[in-house]
Amino acid sequence: MNADVHAGSIGRIEIEGCDTIPKLFWHQVRTRDTRTAFREKTLGIWRSTSWREYGERARAVGMGLASLGLKHGDVVSILAETIPEWLYADMGTLGVGGVTNGVYPTDAAKQVEYIVNDSRTRFLFVENEEQLDKFLQIRARTPQIVKAFIFDMEGLSAFSDPQVMPFDELVSLGRDYDKANPGKWEELVAASRAEELAILVYTSGTTGPPKGAMLSHCNVIFQLSNADAFIPMREHEEQLAFLPLCHVAERTFTAFLPLRSGAIANFAESVETVPDNVREVAPTTFFAVPRIWERFYSGIAIRMKEATWIGRTAYRWALGVGMKVAETKLEGRTPSPLLKLQYLIADYCVLDNIKRAIGMHRVRFAGTGAAPIAPDLIRWYRALGIDMREVYGQTENCGLATGMPDRIKLGTVGVCAPRTELKLSPEGEILLRGPHIFMGYLNQPEKTAETLRDGWLHTGDVGTIDNEGYVRITDRMKDIIITAGGKNITPSEIENQLKFSPYISDAVVIGDKRKFLSCLVMIDYDSVSKHAQDSNVPFTDFASLCRAREVQDLIWSEIEKVNAGFARVETIKKFRLIEHQLTAEDDEVTPTMKLKRKFVNEKYKGLIDGMYAEAA
């Protein structure tokens, strides 16, 4: 990549002479012109959109908003899945001086109401009839919203409402306004300032109402200027867009990083089709949360259990060779000629087929973040020949704080990013400082003051730093368990090992002020139901599957495998299964499908107390 990056003072961080998102976007639109910006699948065919088309549509959206009265600094919220229209609304809003705010499409109407009111949203984009219904339910209590726009009008051809406008109508309005006001778009883009608020990213609200993290243009541009240190992306790289765009990780990979790299985003048809779409696209760069990586692994693990004796034997041998190569490289050594030859055979006969089965045979960079992951899972992918690396960061530092250099150290999240300061507080909390640190929480000065102190971001994560600068995250400060015997336990380490099982989707370890550790487990329905069917275990629904003695025994055997790797005081003595299948719409999980520890402890208090009552 030959982008010209300049980093002087905080206000002068530039990429190719651009210090704001809209300036960089419009520069790249004019520079890249007919080159492909992204693709989406329509009627079974992947269709390309050029940078010129991307720019024209975003410009029309922005000018349409301006014609309807959008003022500098007004907030525009987007309530939609990960689709190209999200980017048109995003870049169009930023281009005319607005502030973009993403809302999770899984949020209930009540949550949408809170966020649009807290952010003082003036214009709202909704994806379809389902999301429009949420707006119609709350609009009497959201009087500041001037207009709502609908991306997909399917099922709404007869719908008419003066406050609601089809997206295509907004685009037409914007084009007319653009013609009547030549040069206005360029003027508004040029007026953007690095230090100004660019985007709002609401946290998942695991410990109370969501907080709107305020990120400036400078925050984003700085992170893009730093990206090559850990995420080496080049023009024409292929990636898959499927995580929610209101999450800072997906926003960075799909909306922002291509502004620097020119990488091509391929929009997945839906969350359900991600495995198929990955195989079709065969991305060269792939970032996902641990749950996705765990799902790919579980699928292969189950498949291998069903394979013939020859297939299982070949897999074990090939994976063993891959593990030797991976471990050799992790130790900083070069594999011997014999081991290289064995690996070539193993890859040709077995490992390449596995990579193709999950669509990872072209991946140059595989990233994982947003939640802890088991080191053994990374080791498995590296044994296949997939260069998986863990990165660490938060919404409040605009995404990336640490990453893996060329030398990988499993169990750590790498080293500090360039031009970023990282240190530990006396309590072991990780503190960050640099141009990527957010502006604070919208409307919450007290929370901001708690999190930002003397210019340092207090992450809430506890960790260590070794003598080579590698950072290890042990847990969230608020999640550390202190047992009745006074032993400090970091539950995430145990939970990560449990989630390595193909039968366990998630787990919450419990034991604060208790005599021993227990846990609540969310089973992987596909894997467990397949095991039950193969073992002739009768069940009628999710709850009856969880209650089956054979399933209980299966999960306990998986827990016992994990227990074997921990000290006696850190082992799990009892467990219970959560007996209904959780989705992103459930209160127990975040939109990225992480169990909310505090909420789970409160909601299942009776179930938890029952485990300890049995042992009394």
Side-chain angles (χ1 to χ4, degrees), residues 104 201 243-252 289 370 395 592 594:
Y104 284 103
V201 181
L243 294 171
L245 274 165
C246 39
H247 192 283
V248 72
E250 188 64 53
R251 187 84 161 275
T252 298
V289 295
T395 299
T592 51
K594 291 182 290 186

Side-chain angles (χ1 to χ4, degrees), residues 21-154:
I21 302 166
K23 288 175 187 174
L24 182 58
F25 169 67
W26 197 241
H27 169 76
Q28 300 297 27
V29 165
R30 289 178 297 177
T31 301
R32 294 173 182 157
D33 196 25
T34 58
R35 280 179 271 178
T36 298
F38 50 77
R39 299 190 190 95
E40 62 179 319
K41 198 172 182 183
T42 307
L43 301 176
I45 299 172
W46 288 95
R47 302 183 187 277
S48 299
T49 295
S50 70
W51 279 92
R52 180 195 294 173
E53 293 167 324
Y54 182 8
E56 287 173 352
R57 289 170 195 169
R59 177 176 183 145
V61 170
M63 295 302 278
L65 291 170
S67 74
L68 292 170
L70 181 136
K71 302 286 193 302
H72 190 86
D74 281 349
V75 175
V76 176
S77 289
I78 306 171
L79 177 57
E81 299 284 355
T82 302
I83 54 177
E85 286 80 3
W86 214 109
L87 297 192
Y88 301 146
D90 188 15
M91 293 301 159
T93 296
L94 294 171
V96 295
V99 174
T100 311
N101 171 53
V103 184
Y104 284 103
T106 53
D107 281 356
K110 185 178 179 181
Q111 294 168 303
V112 175
E113 179 184 342
Y114 172 82
I115 289 172
V116 298
N117 281 334
D118 186 66
S119 62
R120 301 186 187 94
T121 293
R122 289 199 69 224
F123 295 94
L124 176 67
F125 287 89
V126 298
E127 182 176 358
N128 49 26
E129 186 175 8
E130 177 190 354
Q131 305 301 346
L132 174 63
D133 284 343
K134 295 175 186 177
F135 167 64
L136 297 178
Q137 286 178 52
I138 67 172
R139 69 168 160 182
R141 298 180 297 281
T142 56
Q144 79 283 359
I145 294 181
V146 175
K147 210 88 169 171
F149 311 100
I150 314 169
F151 292 140
D152 182 359
M153 291 294 293
E154 185 177 354

Side-chain angles (χ1 to χ4, degrees), residues 223 248 369-370 391-402 413 432 461:
Q223 286 290 35
V248 72
V391 297
Y392 163 73
Q394 299 182 324
T395 299
E396 289 83 352
N397 74 272
C398 199
L400 185 70
T402 71
V413 290
L432 297 170
D461 290 317

Side-chain angles (χ1 to χ4, degrees), residues 11 96 147 172 213 239 306 320 323 358 390 428 533 546 571 590:
V96 295
K147 210 88 169 171
S172 297
Q239 57 193 71
E306 298 171 349
M323 284 290 184
I358 56 178
E390 189 169 6
Q533 289 164 0
C546 289
T571 58
T590 68

Side-chain angles (χ1 to χ4, degrees), residues 261-516:
S261 67
I264 298 168
N266 295 271
F267 285 86
E269 296 166 271
S270 69
V271 175
E272 290 74 27
T273 63
V274 165
D276 292 334
N277 294 155
V278 172
R279 284 189 289 271
E280 292 167 352
V281 171
T284 57
T285 299
F286 191 76
F287 176 85
V289 295
R291 186 67 202 109
I292 301 297
W293 294 114
E294 290 158 5
R295 195 169 294 162
F296 285 151
Y297 164 75
S298 295
I300 296 298
I302 296 300
R303 217 146 142 208
M304 287 303 108
K305 287 192 175 185
E306 298 171 349
T308 62
W309 177 85
I310 294 175
R312 291 195 304 272
T313 302
Y315 171 73
R316 283 195 296 269
W317 173 79
L319 191 65
V321 171
M323 284 290 184
K324 287 179 185 176
V325 171
E327 289 297 337
T328 301
K329 290 180 177 179
L330 286 171
E331 291 167 4
R333 297 184 292 110
T334 302
S336 68
L338 177 59
L339 186 54
K340 285 181 180 178
L341 177 61
Q342 288 177 324
Y343 183 78
L344 284 173
I345 297 169
D347 188 53
Y348 181 80
C349 296
V350 179
L351 301 182
D352 186 61
N353 291 331
I354 293 173
K355 286 181 284 190
R356 288 179 182 277
I358 56 178
M360 295 287 148
H361 53 288
R362 293 204 304 154
V363 164
R364 288 194 321 107
F365 169 82
T368 179
I373 191 169
D376 283 346
L377 190 58
I378 296 179
R379 190 175 280 109
W380 182 80
Y381 279 102
R382 296 190 72 82
L384 295 183
I386 297 170
D387 185 14
M388 180 184 270
R389 299 171 184 235
E390 189 169 6
V391 297
Y392 163 73
Q394 299 182 324
T395 299
E396 289 83 352
N397 74 272
C398 199
L400 185 70
T402 71
M404 286 290 175
D406 289 338
R407 185 181 170 209
I408 310 296
K409 272 193 179 184
L410 292 189
T412 77
V413 290
V415 299
C416 193
R419 295 171 287 159
T420 296
E421 294 179 77
L422 184 151
K423 69 177 183 179
L424 300 181
S425 74
E427 298 76 29
E429 182 180 10
I430 293 172
L431 310 182
L432 297 170
R433 186 164 69 179
H436 56 338
I437 302 303
F438 78 144
M439 302 167 71
Y441 295 117
L442 183 68
N443 306 325
Q444 299 200 41
E446 297 85 4
K447 292 287 185 185
T448 299
E450 287 176 18
T451 306
L452 283 177
R453 292 177 238 162
D454 300 321
W456 289 92
L457 172 68
H458 288 244
T459 65
D461 290 317
V462 180
T464 60
I465 306 172
D466 70 16
N467 59 359
E468 294 181 300
Y470 283 77
V471 179
R472 182 172 182 265
I473 309 294
T474 51
D475 222 315
R476 295 289 290 169
M477 285 190 75
K478 64 188 180 201
D479 291 343
I480 290 176
I481 291 171
I482 303 176
T483 65
K487 173 69 175 176
N488 281 28
I489 307 286
T490 54
S492 65
E493 192 173 351
I494 303 167
E495 290 161 356
N496 288 340
Q497 294 298 326
L498 290 170
K499 288 187 286 184
F500 190 56
S501 162
Y503 302 111
I504 295 176
S505 174
D506 210 341
V508 171
V509 173
I510 295 133
D512 198 44
K513 300 180 180 63
R514 308 272 194 174
K515 292 182 179 179
F516 60 86

Side-chain angles (χ1 to χ4, degrees), residues 6-14 18-20 193-195 218 435:
H6 169 73
S9 64
I10 289 179
R12 293 182 60 249
I13 296 169
E14 298 176 348
C18 304
D19 63 354
T20 69
R193 295 289 175 264
E195 68 278 3
C218 177

